[in-house]
Amino acid sequence: MRILFEPIAGAVGLGAITRCLALAQAAALRGHSVAFHAQPYPLLEKFPVGPRYDAVVPTRPQPLIDPQSSTFSEALSIRGLTQPDYLREAVRSELKTIEQYRPDVVVTEWQPSVPIAAHASGVPFVATLATTELSRLVGERPGPDDPFGDVDRDVLGVAREYGIDDCAAVDELLHLRSLVNIAPTVPELEPLLTGVPRTHFVGPLLFPPLELRQPDIAAHRAREKVLVYLGAGAVSVQSMVGVLGDAFPAPQYEVLVAAREQEIDGEPLPLRRGSVAIAHEPGLMAALQDCSVAVLRGSQNAVAASLMAGVPIVGLPGTRDSEPMYNMKVIEAHGCGRLLAGVPSASDVAEAAAAVMADGSAERAGLLGALLRAKGGPTEAITVIEQALGG
């Protein structure tokens, strides 16, 4: 089988790229030929699983000062993915790549041009699926004052140019026309996904070279270990360094911050400030060993990693960011963590961490983690695709 992977263009965080890499690696290990249609993301260059064909790079409609998005439409819009001129160029690029590589299937996360190119070429596509993409598919239609109400109009207008006229929203285009929908979770965490046709829950799609490599900072020696990973969220590492030092003082605590940044206040990473050690993207799974609590933005991969390690979570999802906000509300409902909106104070973080370390959250996180571990992850996802194509 020949599989063409297309991660979302203009990605803000790492999740979409690493999930595609995890799937590509699993496919290659099963003897399939894989390739990427993508711009030169650093992780694709660092971990080449197959050849890469150049994709069109979208132009953001404005500088990305606030990375948060309240809806799926806003998430697509702020990445520049819904502009008709970009979509037409992206579809042409995909069709050219399909003609050159001749895949049996295209696998994507979020990229709205893929269903259009798949329809035009006759090649089926597979899409990953998250609850926050279902605001239109299972929710209410946008009102007249919705600032992103034109997203469906613009994307579906290009789709109609290629003969697709049976969709009323972008999420329908991505998930009602797909061969298979891959849900990187379990029903207990995202129950609404059970209502979408051809959806398979496969558990987390973690990319081992990134998630399992050793931290590039000295080992923890304190009584309580804290892992912090805020990703590309609205609450920045820089804004939290002092807060974390006050919330988790030495010698009781040792804090490891996994940072997207290469430097803090002009100082290159790794560096240490009191009880807080900051390193450039150390592996989360290694850092979660013997960890007492994780302070996370609430992104899907990091939450899954923490649950599988049986570590309770203090979530800092910002103020309105739909994915981490949803994930952390689910975690709270399951009694595995606490959500702190906005930029919290040191006392807020300390109180939330102390609470989840003492109230049985770790045991409940471990139960959810067992459900996630019972799934086959990337290998199960590739098996599902094989079976769908065989059928």
Side-chain angles (χ1 to χ4, degrees), residues 157-181:
V158 176
R160 281 191 292 273
E161 294 173 8
Y162 285 87
I164 299 175
D165 57 7
D166 59 349
C167 294
V170 176
D171 41 335
E172 292 183 13
L173 184 70
L174 276 166
H175 300 300
L176 294 188
R177 299 184 65 88
S178 57
L179 176 72
V180 168
N181 294 305

Side-chain angles (χ1 to χ4, degrees), residues 131 185-191 303 307 326-327 330-331 334 368 372:
T131 302
T185 183
V186 289
E188 290 78 5
L189 292 174
E190 300 196 47
V303 165
L307 293 177
Y326 173 86
N327 291 339
V330 172
I331 292 302
H334 280 286
L368 284 175
L372 292 168

Side-chain angles (χ1 to χ4, degrees), residues 83 109 148 271 297 364:
Q83 300 172 45
E109 175 156 343
F148 300 98
L271 63 84
R297 169 176 169 258
R364 290 186 288 273

Side-chain angles (χ1 to χ4, degrees), residues 54-379:
D54 279 326
V56 180
V57 180
T59 302
R60 300 190 193 281
Q62 57 188 10
L64 191 62
I65 298 172
D66 181 0
Q68 300 181 105
S69 53
S70 297
T71 64
F72 185 47
S73 293
E74 183 179 5
L76 295 176
S77 182
I78 66 174
R79 289 163 172 80
L81 298 176
T82 64
Q83 300 172 45
D85 288 345
Y86 160 73
L87 283 171
R88 294 186 183 99
E89 192 176 354
V91 171
R92 287 193 292 269
S93 177
E94 288 162 17
L95 290 174
K96 179 180 177 181
T97 299
I98 288 171
E99 182 179 0
Q100 292 176 332
Y101 182 64
R102 299 194 176 280
D104 297 298
V105 64
V106 181
V107 177
T108 190
E109 175 156 343
W110 277 34
Q111 183 60 22
S113 53
V114 165
I116 304 172
H119 173 81
S121 65
V123 175
F125 78 97
V126 170
T128 57
L129 175 63
T131 302
T132 49
E133 295 169 61
L134 303 182
S135 56
R136 311 288 176 96
L137 193 59
V138 299
E140 297 181 1
R141 298 294 177 198
D145 298 328
D146 183 350
F148 300 98
D150 58 354
V151 165
D152 289 330
R153 180 201 66 198
D154 291 344
V155 176
L156 298 178
V158 176
R160 281 191 292 273
E161 294 173 8
Y162 285 87
I164 299 175
D165 57 7
D166 59 349
C167 294
V170 176
D171 41 335
E172 292 183 13
L173 184 70
L174 276 166
H175 300 300
L176 294 188
R177 299 184 65 88
S178 57
L179 176 72
V180 168
N181 294 305
I182 298 296
T185 183
V186 289
E188 290 78 5
L189 292 174
E190 300 196 47
L192 280 179
L193 303 187
T194 59
V196 182
R198 300 179 302 283
T199 292
H200 296 262
F201 291 87
V202 301
L205 301 177
L206 303 180
F207 185 50
L210 185 68
E211 301 294 342
L212 298 181
R213 68 186 179 91
Q214 290 298 316
D216 43 12
I217 201 79
H220 299 272
R221 297 183 179 86
R223 190 173 70 190
E224 306 286 0
K225 289 170 52 177
V226 181
L227 171 66
V228 180
Y229 180 65
L230 302 177
V235 181
S236 68
V237 169
Q238 187 150 333
S239 69
M240 290 299 295
V241 172
V243 171
L244 293 168
D246 292 340
F248 303 112
Q252 180 179 1
Y253 291 98
E254 174 79 6
V255 182
L256 173 64
V257 180
R260 293 285 306 277
E261 296 83 352
Q262 297 278 5
E263 60 179 40
I264 298 292
D265 293 332
E267 295 184 66
L269 303 185
L271 63 84
R272 178 178 293 278
R273 293 186 177 176
S275 63
V276 180
I278 311 168
H280 177 63
E281 292 177 357
L284 299 187
M285 294 299 282
L288 281 166
Q289 296 172 28
D290 302 318
C291 195
S292 301
V293 65
V295 179
L296 309 174
R297 169 176 169 258
S299 58
Q300 189 178 61
N301 284 4
V303 165
S306 296
L307 293 177
M308 288 193 292
V311 176
I313 300 167
V314 173
L316 309 184
T319 56
R320 61 180 189 86
D321 206 355
S322 58
E323 181 205 348
M325 194 70 74
Y326 173 86
N327 291 339
M328 284 312 308
K329 286 180 179 178
V330 172
I331 292 302
E332 276 200 325
H334 280 286
C336 303
R338 298 289 178 89
L339 183 159
L340 300 176
V343 180
S345 66
S347 61
D348 291 334
V349 174
E351 290 170 10
V356 299
M357 289 165 60
D359 66 1
S361 291
E363 289 80 5
R364 290 186 288 273
L367 293 173
L368 284 175
L371 296 176
L372 292 168
R373 288 194 302 274
K375 294 293 184 179
T379 301

